[in-house]
């Protein structure tokens, strides 16, 4: 609450003047009561105007001052104490101001795009939260079967909390099936990899091996990206993804593996390495539209904020049609009123 | 001499182990003064091996029916299916379509359609009803299927629709034939809806004998989940990704079919029994008349577990057990994930998975891979199916991570052995652990109830109970008191003895 309305700001002083008038008219009790109210108002407004850590002290000091020095106390509080506190707070905040972040509807919460299949066009997240058991809720969760993992998985996990057991069971079954498919592919590819490593003299061996590593890396990455693993398991899965992507990239330098390595490193909070892989991906032919948002993300992690607008401007056409990216790009590239 | 009770069993006792099978075995052994016959309905013969249970001496008859045989031995032949035979089938379809849409029928129409349903139940595969050959090869059946396909405004391709209808109807005809041959019994008792419930409906109408229905889980609900996840339905019609297309319609056909079977069973059975209030409510939603429904809770032979109590070590054993088949519905992976967190806080803790893995070997492999990938090879043991009375004294806690349960016997057995329980908030688990009534709740908590699929909450609860001897002891006391007071086997057996007696003595009304 940076601002207090003019009338409220001058409330204690005005009340003190009224109290003085009442006393002058011989209304001692009324005057005393208004004086107490003025002290309370000064304490309350001081409490509201000061940072959390100083609130109680400021309120007590202001209240005591007004109470002990009729009229003069209120004047001191309004004309000296409050402006001083205000200056101190501005200095402490370093002159920053709050600007709302763009709403990243794509951040796995399905709040902007993942809409209910029925007539109700509100986001699934909202509907799932409020819904009692019904066929509509069930259909809603069914619709998540075909949504991409990153959007669907958080919503499916949200559905676990739904009061209807049908909805919970279906959400679990969908999630389990997605994970099962991924893990089944991983198992098949791991077996294939072992076979390939045992027969290095086959024609086209290097290319097939690289392809196998690439697909494994992609699947391990999807286990993390889709939210199927968390905590220690996620760290380990990311490392596996990185190992296979690196093997694919070493075997045959390709843009896709380098981009994947960049994404893995970004998730591992190793932005400098991610940056290097992004440069390597571009050298191997990665389209700027694919690398630009990742470059921007890496720049953000590296605190190279001044580079972000330029990097995002490299995105073109289709990429900018994605509402999430478009909003981020707008946030960083459009001039803002100071 | 005819059996007193003919149990109608689908995919369970005596060929499959599990909670329902254990319950059936317990019921038969407990009511040794009654003669039981068993009718088992399964999908494919190859999916079931030898019986997993030794049949008690009061089982007088066991017969099996496998749905893969529905059309076995029928060769194409020119057959006429007169409209007079089809008329009740048309009415029955209309009846179920109205029920599915939850529309109220006018009284006159309702009576007419109800009569048609009864006609179908009594006449199918009989002289005046539609036969399998007429359904398979009769021109009238072909026309009827085409007509229904055209009525469907978002139909699947006809070929998919046609074969789906054929597959759906096969078991109906097969069970109608079985109903004509099944030995007489004084009471028929199905342990689920689905095919067993449908068979019960046939028998009730044809033999005019009492039909009792018990549901542990809710069959229709479980089928619905299975069908919504069925890969083979997607493969049948590759475009089945959107709800408006044909593949989704076929899925709906399957779901509606099982819902109709459920309604037929609810319509014919009295009483309709469930294990706890939540499932009873669900039965009402699915069409069971409230005045016919009753709750009979599970019970166990508490004395059998008293020895286990005596064998418990003084200190809390650092072992967390999961008792259950290794199948996705038990969510064993969440147990493994929870254990990984527990081990981080208490490195000497072990996790034992006690249950058979033969039902879903792929899932078993996934669980073991997860154990390896979490580095829990030393801490997690897969013990297979074992006698729980031997293992329960060695458990510090029982952890049940299921995503769906009714009223698990494993919880009652652990409680009777003085093992605190941590379970997910599904089925009647909360009632079992925290109490169902005010008086019951005053006994205290026998463990902790946590949200499902939440391995962090599970691990927090486990660490809390393993670390606090006082809390652990308090849970033990509550567990033993609750199971002794409310979940004794004698209560359950007396209740079922009463149900059978009322049915056999004629206090039964369908």
């Amino acid at each position: 609450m940076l601002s207090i309305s003019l009338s409220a700001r001058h409330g204690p002083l005005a009340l003190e003047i009224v109290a003085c008038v009442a006393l002058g008219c011989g209304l001692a009790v009324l005057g005393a009561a208004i004086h107490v109210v003025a002290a309370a108002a000064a304490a309350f407004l001081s409490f509201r105007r000061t940072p959390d850590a100083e609130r109680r002290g400021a309120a007590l000091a202001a209240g005591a001052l007004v109470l002990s020095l009729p009229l003069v106390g209120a004047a001191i509080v309004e004309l000296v104490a409050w402006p001083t506190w205000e200056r101190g707070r501005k200095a402490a905040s370093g002159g920053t101001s709050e600007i709302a972040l763009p709403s990243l509807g794509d951040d796995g919460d399905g709040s902007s795009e993942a809409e209910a299949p029925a007539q109700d066009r509100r986001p699934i997240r909202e509907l799932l939260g409020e819904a009692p058991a019904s066929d509509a809720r069930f259909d809603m969760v069914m619709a998540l079967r075909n949504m991409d993992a990153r959007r669907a998985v958080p919503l499916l996990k949200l559905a676990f909390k739904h009061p209807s057991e049908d909805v919970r069971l279906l959400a679990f079954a969908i999630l389990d099936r997605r994970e099962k498919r991924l893990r089944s592919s991983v198992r098949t590819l791991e077996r294939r990899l072992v076979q390939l490593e045992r027969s290095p003299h086959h024609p086209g061996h290097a290319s097939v091996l690289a392809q196998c590593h690439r697909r494994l890396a992609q699947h391990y990455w999807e286990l993390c990206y889709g939210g199927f693993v968390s905590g220690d398991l996620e760290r380990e899965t990311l490392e596996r993804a990185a190992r296979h992507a690196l093997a694919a990239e070493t075997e045959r330098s390709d843009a896709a593996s380098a981009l994947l390595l960049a994404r893995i490193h970004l998730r591992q909070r190793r932005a400098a390495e991610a940056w290097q892989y992004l440069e390597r991906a571009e050298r191997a032919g990665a389209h700027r539209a694919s690398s630009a948002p990742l470059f921007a993300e890496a720049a953000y992690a590296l605190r190279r904020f001044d580079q972000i607008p330029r990097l995002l401007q490299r995105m073109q056409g289709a990429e900018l049609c994605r509402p999430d990216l478009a909003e981020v790009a707008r946030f960083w590239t459009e001039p803002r009123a100071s | 001499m005819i059996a007193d009770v003919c149990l109608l069993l689908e995919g369970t006792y005596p060929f499959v182990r599990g909670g329902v099978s254990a319950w059936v075995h317990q019921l038969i052994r407990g009511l040794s003064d009654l003669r039981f016959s068993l009718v088992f309905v399964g999908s494919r013969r190859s999916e079931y091996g030898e019986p997993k249970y030794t049949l008690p001496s009061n089982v007088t008859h066991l017969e099996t029916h496998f749905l893969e045989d529905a059309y076995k031995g029928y060769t194409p032949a020119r057959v006429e299916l007169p409209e007079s035979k089809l008329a009740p089938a048309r009415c029955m379809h209309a009846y179920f379509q109205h029920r599915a849409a939850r529309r109220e029928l006018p009284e006159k129409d309702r009576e007419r359609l109800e009569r048609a349903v009864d006609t179908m139940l009594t006449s199918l595969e009989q002289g005046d009803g539609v036969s399998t050959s007429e359904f398979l090869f009769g021109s009238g059946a072909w026309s009827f299927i085409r007509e229904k396909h055209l009525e469907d405004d978002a139909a699947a391709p006809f070929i998919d629709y046609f074969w789906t209808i054929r597959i759906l109807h096969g078991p109906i005809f097969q069970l109608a034939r079985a109903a004509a041959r099944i030995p007489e019994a004084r009471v028929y008792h199905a342990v689920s809806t689905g095919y067993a419930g449908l068979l019960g409906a046939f028998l009730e109408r044809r033999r005019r004998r009492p039909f009792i229905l018990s549901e542990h889980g809710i069959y229709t609900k479980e089928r619905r989940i299975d069908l919504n996840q069925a890969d083979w339905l997607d493969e049948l019609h590759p475009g089945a990704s959107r709800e408006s297309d044909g593949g989704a319609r076929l899925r709906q056909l399957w779901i509606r079919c099982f819902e109709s079977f459920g309604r037929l069973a609810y319509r014919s059975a009295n009483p309709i029994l469930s294990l706890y209030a939540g499932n009873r409510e669900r039965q009402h939603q699915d069409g069971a008349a409230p005045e016919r429904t009753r709750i009979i809770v599970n019970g166990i032979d508490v004395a059998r577990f008293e020895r286990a109590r005596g064998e418990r070590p003084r200190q809390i054993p650092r072992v967390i057990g999961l008792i259950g088949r290794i199948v996705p519905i038990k969510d064993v992976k969440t147990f493994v994930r929870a254990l990984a967190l527990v081990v981080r806080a208490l490195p000497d803790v072990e996790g034992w998975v006690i249950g058979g893995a033969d039902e879903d070997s792929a899932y078993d492999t996934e669980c073991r891979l997860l154990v390896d990938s979490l580095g829990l090879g030393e801490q997690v043991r897969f013990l297979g199916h074992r006698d729980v009375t031997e293992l329960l004294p060695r458990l510090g806690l029982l952890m049940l991570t299921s995503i769906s349960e009714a009223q698990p016997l494993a919880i009652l057995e652990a409680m009777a052995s003085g093992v605190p329980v941590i379970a997910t908030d599904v089925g009647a688990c909360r009632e079992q652990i925290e109490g169902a009534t005010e008086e019951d709740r005053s006994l205290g908590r026998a463990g902790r109830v946590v949200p499902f699929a939440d391995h962090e909450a599970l691990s927090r609860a486990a660490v809390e109970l393993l670390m606090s001897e006082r809390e652990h002891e308090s849970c033990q006391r509550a567990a033993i008191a609750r199971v002794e007071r409310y979940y004794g086997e004698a209560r359950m057996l007396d209740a079922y003895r009463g149900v059978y007696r009322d049915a056999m003595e004629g206090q039964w009304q369908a």
Side-chain angles (χ1 to χ4, degrees):
Chain A
M1 294 294 289
L2 283 173
S3 62
I4 297 173
S5 67
L6 188 69
S7 57
R9 185 189 175 95
H10 297 297
L13 191 56
L15 283 167
E16 284 289 84
I17 293 167
V18 173
C20 287
V21 171
L23 285 168
C25 296
L27 300 169
V29 176
L30 180 65
I34 295 172
H35 175 61
V36 171
V37 171
F44 173 73
L45 292 170
S46 300
F47 185 85
R48 299 277 302 271
R49 294 170 66 93
T50 45
D52 288 354
E54 299 159 17
R55 277 182 166 173
R56 288 185 63 186
L60 279 172
L65 198 63
V66 173
L67 203 60
S68 57
L69 297 173
L71 200 59
V72 179
I76 293 171
V77 166
E78 282 195 18
L79 303 173
V80 182
W82 285 352
T84 309
W85 291 341
E86 187 94 357
R87 276 197 300 276
R89 193 164 70 166
K90 279 183 178 168
S93 68
T96 57
S97 59
E98 290 179 28
I99 297 169
L101 283 168
S103 160
L104 300 177
D106 186 37
D107 196 21
D109 68 354
S111 58
S112 71
E113 289 188 273
E115 285 178 335
Q119 288 86 346
D120 196 331
R121 305 298 293 173
R122 283 176 298 159
I124 287 179
R125 170 172 285 272
E126 201 178 304
L127 289 169
L128 274 175
E130 72 182 36
S134 75
D135 289 350
R137 309 295 169 245
F138 195 84
D139 292 344
M140 202 181 293
V141 177
M142 268 301 277
L144 300 175
R145 285 172 79 226
N146 306 303
M147 197 181 278
D148 79 80
R150 188 161 170 246
R151 282 179 193 167
V153 171
L155 291 169
L156 290 168
K157 286 185 175 170
L158 181 71
F160 285 179
K161 297 189 179 79
H162 197 274
S164 157
E165 196 181 17
D166 289 22
V167 172
R168 295 200 306 262
L169 281 174
L170 181 66
F172 182 86
I174 293 172
L175 206 58
D176 192 58
R177 189 168 79 149
R178 278 173 180 264
E179 187 179 355
K180 195 176 265 189
R181 281 182 176 170
L182 266 177
R183 290 194 184 278
S184 161
S185 296
V186 165
R187 271 200 303 281
T188 310
L189 286 165
E190 292 277 17
R191 279 198 292 270
R192 175 95 179 109
L193 192 64
V194 171
Q195 285 171 354
L196 284 168
E197 282 169 350
R198 282 184 192 151
S199 53
H201 304 301
H202 268 248
H205 175 263
S207 153
V208 178
L209 194 67
Q211 196 182 357
C212 197
H213 277 301
R214 196 176 305 117
R215 288 181 60 197
L216 266 170
Q218 195 64 43
H219 285 332
Y220 279 124
W221 166 248
E222 274 184 43
L223 281 171
C224 303
Y225 184 73
F228 296 109
V229 288
S230 58
D232 287 351
L233 198 55
E234 181 182 339
R235 271 192 290 282
E236 147 129 18
T237 310
L238 276 175
E239 275 163 25
R240 286 186 193 203
R243 271 202 305 277
H244 287 291
L246 198 59
E249 227 257 339
T250 311
E251 203 67 50
R252 205 181 65 174
S253 179
D254 71 304
S257 297
L259 271 180
L260 182 57
L261 276 162
R263 298 177 89 179
I264 294 167
H265 281 98
L266 278 173
R267 198 163 176 112
Q268 290 173 322
R269 296 175 190 279
R270 286 148 66 176
E273 289 93 329
W275 190 279
Q276 286 173 7
Y277 279 112
L278 286 169
E279 286 176 337
R280 200 189 291 189
E282 285 202 349
R283 282 199 298 277
H287 197 280
R288 282 174 153 201
S290 309
S291 58
L294 298 172
F295 262 125
E297 194 179 335
Y300 183 84
L302 293 165
R303 304 184 68 81
R304 298 177 190 167
F305 303 124
D306 54 326
Q307 295 184 16
I308 295 174
R310 181 181 54 79
L311 290 164
L312 287 173
Q313 274 163 358
R314 296 165 73 200
M315 289 196 302
Q316 297 159 353
E319 285 296 306
L320 282 173
C321 289
R322 284 176 51 187
D324 51 329
L325 279 181
E327 193 159 352
V328 171
R330 228 182 356 263
F331 176 79
W332 283 98
T333 55
E334 280 184 1
R336 247 190 312 275
S338 58
Chain B
M1 187 176 280
I2 70 167
D4 295 307
V5 181
C6 175
L7 288 174
L8 310 174
L9 306 155
E10 183 185 332
T12 175
Y13 189 83
F15 295 99
V16 174
R17 282 195 188 278
V20 175
S21 294
W23 177 85
V24 172
H25 194 62
Q26 180 188 17
L27 188 73
I28 297 171
R29 286 201 331 178
L31 300 178
S32 55
D33 50 324
L34 297 178
R35 287 180 305 278
F36 285 85
S37 62
L38 311 180
V39 176
F40 175 86
V41 181
S43 48
R44 293 189 191 88
R45 199 169 273 100
S46 59
E47 286 179 5
Y48 308 94
E50 292 298 307
K52 300 283 191 300
Y53 293 83
T54 306
L55 297 181
S57 58
N58 55 331
V59 173
T60 57
H61 174 81
L62 166 66
E63 68 178 63
T64 56
H65 297 270
F66 294 97
L67 301 178
E68 65 178 349
D69 298 336
Y71 294 134
K72 205 171 174 183
Y74 289 91
T75 48
R78 189 180 178 81
V79 184
E80 289 302 321
L81 174 57
E83 182 55 35
S84 59
K85 282 189 173 183
L86 260 180
R90 289 182 190 282
C91 290
M92 195 168 87
H93 281 97
Y95 175 78
F96 283 123
Q97 270 166 6
H98 268 85
R99 298 300 300 261
R102 297 177 201 279
R103 285 202 298 267
E104 279 302 315
L105 278 163
E107 185 68 14
K108 200 176 73 181
D109 287 346
R110 193 178 60 78
E111 279 176 15
R112 181 174 59 84
L113 296 181
E114 293 264 6
R115 273 199 305 277
V117 172
D118 284 337
T119 305
M120 284 299 291
L121 286 171
T122 49
S123 68
L124 204 67
E125 287 283 18
Q126 307 285 308
D128 51 348
V130 181
S131 69
T132 305
S133 293
E134 286 165 338
F135 171 71
L136 287 177
F137 312 120
S139 58
W142 168 260
S143 304
F144 187 42
I145 293 172
R146 279 181 55 199
E147 196 182 302
K148 299 299 288 179
H149 179 251
L150 289 173
E151 272 176 25
D152 193 347
D153 58 358
F158 181 72
I159 189 134
D160 291 344
Y161 182 83
F162 174 79
W163 287 109
T164 300
I165 294 296
R166 278 217 160 171
I167 295 165
L168 287 175
H169 283 73
I172 302 174
F173 284 98
Q174 187 184 11
L175 294 174
R177 293 196 296 275
R181 297 196 307 267
I182 285 170
E184 285 285 341
R186 297 172 73 190
V187 175
Y188 295 97
H189 180 186
V191 182
S192 67
T193 58
Y195 295 118
L198 177 64
L199 182 56
F202 276 127
L203 289 164
E204 187 271 330
R205 283 293 98 180
R206 291 175 182 205
R207 307 268 171 96
R208 310 302 292 173
R209 294 276 190 182
F211 170 40
I212 296 160
L213 174 65
S214 293
E215 284 197 282
H216 283 224
I218 298 291
Y219 181 100
T220 313
K221 175 183 77 183
E222 287 162 10
R223 277 286 168 161
R224 192 180 182 202
I225 304 289
D226 288 346
L227 286 164
N228 276 310
Q229 282 300 293
D231 286 330
W232 56 268
L233 269 165
D234 291 338
E235 284 156 15
L236 186 69
H237 186 70
S241 58
R242 288 180 306 280
E243 286 311 285
S244 58
D245 67 22
R249 303 300 290 192
L250 297 182
R251 202 184 296 278
Q252 283 305 316
L253 270 180
W254 276 92
I255 291 169
R256 275 217 317 261
C257 180
F258 283 108
E259 286 174 351
S260 302
F261 291 171
R263 288 196 190 100
L264 280 175
Y266 287 151
R267 187 175 169 274
S268 304
N270 191 10
I272 299 165
L273 305 164
S274 58
L275 291 171
Y276 68 104
N279 271 3
R280 185 185 187 197
E281 183 56 36
R282 177 64 192 238
Q283 288 172 332
H284 297 164
Q285 285 169 19
D286 288 351
E291 64 276 13
R292 293 187 182 192
T293 58
R294 268 182 66 184
I295 295 171
I296 298 181
V297 300
N298 272 339
I300 58 164
D301 178 7
V302 180
R304 191 171 151 237
F305 297 92
E306 275 169 4
R307 191 176 58 86
R309 267 183 243 166
E311 289 172 6
R312 293 188 67 76
R314 289 175 67 83
Q315 284 199 320
I316 304 171
R318 292 297 181 105
V319 179
I320 304 174
L322 180 149
I323 300 176
R325 296 161 295 134
I326 304 179
V327 289
I329 208 160
K330 301 289 178 190
D331 196 10
V332 181
K333 288 184 197 169
T334 292
F335 172 74
V336 174
R337 289 185 183 115
L339 204 81
L341 294 180
V342 174
V343 165
R344 201 178 291 167
L346 305 169
D348 57 339
V349 169
E350 282 189 19
W352 294 358
V353 182
I354 306 157
D358 46 354
E359 215 173 304
D360 190 339
S361 58
Y363 185 73
D364 177 50
T365 309
E366 283 171 31
C367 293
R368 287 169 193 268
L369 283 172
L370 185 63
V371 167
D372 290 341
S373 63
L374 288 172
L376 293 172
E378 298 288 312
Q379 284 90 2
V380 177
R381 294 163 65 186
F382 290 87
L383 302 178
H385 180 75
R386 297 278 289 271
D387 179 358
V388 292
T389 52
E390 285 174 15
L391 295 176
L392 280 167
R394 296 160 66 187
L395 299 187
L397 293 172
L398 176 81
M399 191 181 271
L400 225 67
T401 46
S402 306
I403 58 162
S404 178
E405 283 287 356
Q407 193 179 55
L409 285 172
I411 289 187
L412 299 181
E413 289 169 349
M415 284 166 64
S417 309
V419 180
V421 179
I422 299 169
T424 44
D425 193 4
V426 295
C429 293
R430 187 177 286 280
E431 287 181 10
Q432 289 176 293
I433 293 171
E434 295 181 351
T437 60
E438 208 50 53
E439 187 192 351
D440 189 359
R441 278 192 282 277
S442 70
L443 295 173
R445 289 190 295 176
R448 298 287 181 270
V449 182
V450 299
F452 91 163
D454 187 343
H455 60 282
E456 288 172 10
L458 284 161
S459 70
R460 273 197 304 274
V463 171
E464 182 206 342
L465 291 180
L466 288 174
M467 295 285 280
S468 166
E469 279 191 26
R470 208 179 62 169
E471 199 54 39
H472 195 272
E473 269 178 31
S474 152
C475 289
Q476 280 185 312
R477 277 196 301 275
I480 293 166
R482 178 164 296 121
V483 82
E484 283 182 343
R485 189 179 299 181
Y486 296 106
Y487 296 100
E489 183 181 59
R491 280 170 71 110
M492 182 195 84
L493 293 176
D494 282 348
Y496 268 96
R497 188 176 278 112
V499 167
Y500 288 147
R501 189 188 51 233
D502 288 350
M504 287 188 275
E505 289 176 0
Q507 292 173 33
W508 160 84
Q509 193 177 18

